[in-house]
Amino acid sequence: MEKAGRKQREDFAMTETKYIFPKQMQSVAALVFIAVLIVLLLILTVMVHMRNRKLKSTLEEQIAERRLLDKICADFTAVYYVELNTGSFEILHINDGTNAKKMNLKQCDNFNYAADQYAVQYLYEKERKEFKDWISTRYLKEQLSRRERITYHYRSKPNPNQHEFFEAQAIKIYQDEKHFFALVGFRHIDDIMEKETTIQNQLKQALDETRLSNEIISAIAKSYCSIYRIDVQKDFFEEVSNDSEIHKLTGNRGCALEKLYQLCDTMVAPEYRPLIRPFLDVSTLSARLKTEECISTEYRMCDGSWHRMLFTVKKRDESGNVTHVLCTVRSISDSKRREENLNFAAEAAKREAEMKTRFLATMSHDIRTPLNGIIGMVNMGNQYADDPQMQQKIREKAMESLKYLVSLVNDVLDMNKLQSGDLKDQQLTFDLTKVLRELNQIYDERAAKKGIRYEIDWKNGTYSHSTLVGNPVYLGRILSNIMDNAIKFSQSGSVLTFGVKEETLDDDRANFTFYCKDQGVGMSEDFIAHAFDMFSQESETSRSRYEGTGLGLAITKQLVDRMDGSIELKSKAGVGTTVIVKIPFKIGTQDKNSNLSDKPVSLDDYSVEGMRALVVEDNELNMEISRCILEDSGMEVTCAVDGQEAVEIFEKSAPDYFGVIYMDIMMSRMNGLDAARTIREMKRRDARRVPIIAMSANSFAEDIINSRLAGMNVHLAKPLDAEKIIIALKQCMADNSDVKLHEDL
């Protein structure tokens, strides 16, 4: 039994040992599984935490960007989000009171086109090109590839809020291989001082509300060269924002007074250092800001730029003493220049007002004098009705007074046209020899009537090129004004000399020097400096003896400037005056050698007897005058009341039926310019060679050029003169098709 029991115990022990190891192995596997699960949970927790941090960071960035965008929209009247590679854009903000609001920008899919439309509608003509060049996506991309921000100032036509001066800013947002995004904003800067105060208040408010949040400070700092936090009690500064050049001097933090003085002695202009050093004294800031929230000063840097430094209270203690301030430095060079320009403009306006006052007083005299003569001659005509000789004399005197009145009106209108900037510079191919020949013929006759010998300087007056490209009307007006003055201020028996010289620059360009020398009354040295001012007359004695508005030389100077030329006066009282005009011209392709020795064609060899004329005039009285003049010259006249009727009459007529067309410019249905173009384009042998002579009340240089471009041969200014009407036709017959460029014809 004992043996059997022992055997049973041994069997049981073997059975227990057999199952012990599998149970241990199961426990280990369970532990490993739990450990792996814990690790996975940890990893998942970390990943979730990292994702939450990333989302938080993205949200913070979006909030910062939104704050930045809100800040930009608050300061700018219009903000656009532009893709510079394609030109596509999105409107982020437009104020109701700005001109851009009037444009239908939703129909524009290209930023360049929208900018061009804005420039055409709201910018002055002389400023459009520069604006369009700057605002183009090509230029913005080029500049923002190197810089984070660019700025441009321009002037526009006033918007409904009467804002005229604007600042455009472009800021780079994002760039990669395919995309280039930028913000383009516009803001008015008319009230620069008020704007400065607004920005500073916004700065202080932002700093207080956000406790110097880095995001907001970064956004504001873009408008400033430097921003520093200063502990006044500890004389310690900390840099918030700074440009690299100043940063090299100041570092990130340190002793405030020492570093500010170092900045002053290194970068501030020497003459401003004694003034700026007391302002930088940190030890006195608390006292100076006792009752103030900010103090500022302006100074000039060594490089000539202007800056404004502002100390703004950031924190006070319980007693109200300043403990911390914010120091900001901003460039104000543009505002300084605008201030100087405004001061200059104010002085110029004052001088102009004085000149205009003097002009009105002068015009009152100059207009009343010929009017009194005309009224007196009319009264004398009534008294001597039966005396033919006296009647002829009266008519001649009245005509002289009328011509003088016309010249007064023309001068005033010309000057107004020049100052308004409405004149357009046209480049035409013309023959210099013919222009000079006509001028010489006219002024030879005028000089002879006054007993003055008119000479062309054969010895020095030479040129090798005749066919030029430029504005012949301007040239004719310049030379006419100069020679008019020379004859006006010269006495009988004196000599008037005119000449021209050429200095060839290259195959395409040449400088021409025109000079006119007289032996007249001359000018004093003091008056020469003001000879080109408007309404200038050296003395009241001169005004009494020599009629004129005092605008001739002023008009001449402005025309010379428009042609990129120069004018010089050499004069001595009682000896005479020499006027020298230098103007560059392009050399024409159909050039031929010419000189002033070419004799003018005799118009007496040409007859208008029996010629058929088509007169186009919508004014009944002017039509009757023209018809009478032409019929008295032996011509057969056909009349048309507007351009459309003239075209129809000419089209129905036989070739070469009409020998000349006299055409008014401003008419209903079809104006004279369009009628002339239509006739010139007709497919008939006489369409291009029949003389078309303009008769217009508009006698500006632009009007003469426009008539030339329309195909007209001669431009006659109203009131019409019978002799001029016939002479113009004879010159067309002599020249076959050449355009007359002198408005006195």
Side-chain angles (χ1 to χ4, degrees), residues 369-632:
T369 298
L371 285 176
N372 182 68
I374 294 171
I375 294 173
M377 289 298 103
V378 172
N379 291 329
M380 288 180 63
N382 293 331
Q383 296 177 11
Y384 296 92
D386 299 328
D387 190 339
Q389 292 183 349
M390 181 60 71
Q391 287 287 329
Q392 179 64 28
K393 184 177 180 180
I394 290 172
R395 285 193 294 270
E396 291 175 354
K397 292 292 185 182
M399 184 59 68
E400 290 179 2
S401 297
L402 287 171
K403 288 181 178 179
Y404 175 58
L405 278 176
V406 171
S407 69
L408 287 178
V409 173
N410 287 338
D411 283 349
V412 174
L413 293 178
D414 282 348
M415 179 55 70
N416 181 70
K417 194 81 169 180
L418 285 166
Q419 291 197 319
S420 67
D422 293 335
L423 286 180
K424 297 179 181 179
D425 295 328
Q426 302 280 3
Q427 299 295 308
L428 302 176
T429 300
F430 67 98
D431 192 331
L432 177 62
T433 298
K434 293 178 181 177
V435 175
L436 297 177
R437 183 188 296 151
E438 294 168 14
L439 289 172
N440 289 331
Q441 183 175 2
I442 293 169
Y443 288 97
D444 185 28
E445 294 175 359
R446 292 186 182 180
K449 289 181 180 180
K450 197 173 179 179
I452 301 170
R453 189 168 78 249
Y454 182 79
E455 294 183 350
I456 299 174
D457 190 354
W458 304 111
K459 183 178 180 181
N460 299 313
T462 58
Y463 58 96
S464 57
H465 295 94
S466 174
T467 303
L468 306 176
V469 178
N471 196 312
V473 178
Y474 287 178
L475 177 61
R477 179 65 63 84
I478 291 168
L479 299 181
S480 295
N481 287 347
I482 293 172
M483 289 190 281
D484 280 339
N485 273 354
I487 293 176
K488 181 191 300 182
F489 294 101
S490 295
Q491 303 298 323
S492 177
S494 63
V495 179
L496 173 63
T497 305
F498 173 79
V500 58
K501 294 186 293 185
E502 176 188 348
E503 179 187 1
T504 303
L505 301 177
D506 50 43
D507 294 338
D508 299 323
R509 298 176 302 145
N511 279 332
F512 284 81
T513 300
F514 306 90
Y515 51 95
C516 181
K517 182 179 180 181
D518 65 60
Q519 297 175 342
V521 298
M523 308 176 191
S524 65
E525 292 184 3
D526 293 337
F527 180 73
I528 290 177
H530 305 284
F532 298 115
D533 293 343
M534 292 189 298
F535 324 120
S536 62
Q537 294 276 349
E538 184 163 13
S539 67
E540 292 300 323
T541 303
S542 298
R543 170 158 299 282
S544 300
R545 292 185 62 188
Y546 310 104
E547 296 178 334
T549 60
L551 291 173
L553 285 179
I555 293 172
T556 300
K557 178 65 166 60
Q558 293 203 32
L559 289 175
V560 170
D561 290 342
R562 292 182 72 91
M563 299 181 74
D564 298 324
S566 64
I567 184 169
E568 179 184 3
L569 291 179
K570 296 181 179 180
S571 186
K572 187 175 181 180
V575 178
T577 301
T578 300
V579 183
I580 304 171
V581 176
K582 297 181 179 180
I583 301 176
F585 288 100
K586 292 182 180 179
I587 299 174
T589 56
Q590 298 179 351
D591 183 44
K592 56 183 178 181
N593 293 334
S594 304
N595 56 64
L596 294 179
S597 64
D598 292 335
K599 296 181 179 180
V601 178
S602 176
L603 299 182
D604 295 335
D605 298 335
Y606 296 89
S607 174
V608 300
E609 186 76 25
M611 183 177 293
R612 300 183 186 91
L614 175 59
V615 179
V616 191
E617 175 65 68
D618 62 348
N619 184 277
E620 185 177 351
L621 178 59
N622 289 338
M623 172 69 80
E624 189 62 29
I625 293 172
S626 301
R627 179 203 293 269
C628 183
I629 293 173
L630 297 177
E631 288 181 347
D632 287 345

Side-chain angles (χ1 to χ4, degrees), residues 15-29:
T15 304
E16 186 176 1
T17 302
K18 180 179 179 181
Y19 290 97
I20 236 176
F21 288 100
K23 289 183 180 181
Q24 290 178 343
M25 291 179 65
Q26 291 176 2
S27 299
V28 170

Side-chain angles (χ1 to χ4, degrees), residues 641-657:
V641 297
D642 55 45
Q644 183 64 43
E645 185 178 0
V647 171
E648 294 171 357
I649 291 174
F650 184 83
E651 191 172 24
K652 294 177 182 178
S653 67
D656 298 317
Y657 179 83

